[in-house]
């Protein structure tokens, strides 16, 4: 079970050739979510301090970062993806 709170578009301008949007997820189990996305065909672009940027097979960027909000706030507002 993955829990996430945030999805957003990338700011403009973006580098030439990059997709115009990205999905950003604040995740409670970063390692498991990265492994799940890699298993679905994503490729890792970069990783820094547990922040992973992956490229989906369709070219969109997926940013997986650990949660930094208050645990109670996260529990109250997270969406659960099964």
């Amino acid at each position: 079970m993955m829990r996430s709170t945030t999805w957003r578009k990338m700011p403009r301008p973006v580098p030439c050739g990059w997709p115009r949007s990205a999905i950003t997820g604040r995740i409670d189990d970063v390692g498991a979510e990265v492994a799940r996305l890699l298993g679905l065909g994503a490729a890792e672009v970069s990783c820094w301090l547990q922040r992973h940027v992956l490229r989906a097979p369709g070219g969109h960027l997926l940013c997986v970062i650990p949660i930094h909000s208050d645990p109670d706030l996260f529990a109250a507002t997270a969406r659960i993806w099964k």
Side-chain angles (χ1 to χ4, degrees):
M1 172 176 61
M2 297 295 121
R3 297 185 299 170
S4 173
T5 58
T6 303
W7 305 102
R8 68 175 177 83
K9 288 188 175 183
M10 286 180 65
R12 302 232 189 318
V14 296
C16 183
W18 282 31
R20 293 287 179 183
S21 63
I23 299 173
T24 300
R26 289 184 174 93
I27 305 295
D28 59 348
D29 188 344
V30 172
E33 183 64 2
V34 169
R36 185 183 77 84
L37 293 169
L38 292 173
L40 292 171
E44 188 145 16
V45 174
S46 67
C47 176
W48 179 71
L49 296 176
Q50 285 196 322
R51 288 146 179 85
H52 297 262
V53 178
L54 307 166
R55 186 175 306 279
H60 288 84
L61 295 175
L62 309 167
C63 303
V64 181
I65 61 175
I67 60 170
H68 293 287
S69 59
D70 174 71
D72 293 333
L73 176 64
F74 182 79
T77 60
R79 293 181 185 92
I80 297 174
W81 306 92
K82 296 181 182 182

